[in-house]
Amino acid sequence: MISPMPDVETHTIAETDEFMLIACDGIWNVLTSDAAISFIREQIAEAKAGDKCSKTWLSDIAGQLMEKCMAPDTSGDGTGCDNMTVLIVLLNQDMSKDFQKRKLESEEAPKPKKSKTS
């Protein structure tokens, strides 16, 4: 029988908080909290510096974290072969430039033609 025992913490969000990482044991069996946070911080910094904050950039970073945790094959002890779920939530980020850019890009996209129905 499997009995889930989640780690639950209560934290008041402060202005200095950058993001919240929610992940399942498939991640935590491979990386420490500090290692996962460091990896995500590096990826966010790279995305912002390279102006690579696309519509899916946080999903891309979550995917990179999962790939980092995946075992190259299944011949080991099972570490890196477990199910993996990652959710990254940005907190207190001034992403207004990115949202404005996306808004402009979507406005420039061709609009679908309306069809006439009888």
Side-chain angles (χ1 to χ4, degrees):
M1 182 168 123
I2 298 173
S3 176
M5 300 289 287
D7 290 333
V8 178
E9 290 187 28
T10 302
H11 175 76
T12 302
I13 297 172
E15 287 185 29
T16 56
D17 291 329
E18 303 165 65
F19 57 88
M20 176 173 50
L21 172 62
I22 302 170
C24 69
D25 64 333
I27 301 296
W28 305 125
N29 289 342
V30 178
L31 294 176
T32 64
S33 297
D34 288 339
I37 296 301
S38 294
F39 179 83
I40 291 172
R41 274 192 182 127
E42 290 169 12
Q43 299 305 311
I44 287 174
E46 282 181 28
K48 286 182 178 179
D51 197 27
K52 297 179 183 174
C53 298
S54 67
K55 291 180 181 180
T56 62
W57 72 287
L58 284 175
S59 295
D60 296 341
I61 292 172
Q64 292 167 5
L65 181 66
M66 288 188 280
E67 285 189 24
K68 181 177 179 68
C69 294
M70 270 192 234
D73 58 51
T74 58
S75 63
D77 64 355
T79 302
C81 297
D82 200 353
N83 63 315
M84 296 184 197
T85 304
V86 174
L87 178 65
I88 303 169
V89 181
L90 283 182
L91 304 171
N92 302 316
Q93 300 288 315
D94 181 12
M95 299 301 294
S96 57
K97 291 179 187 175
D98 297 317
F99 292 127
Q100 186 64 27
K101 182 179 175 184
R102 281 190 232 150
K103 183 179 176 189
L104 290 172
E105 288 172 354
S106 67
E107 288 173 356
E108 292 171 359
K111 305 278 189 236
K113 293 181 181 179
K114 293 182 182 179
S115 62
K116 294 182 182 180
T117 55
S118 306

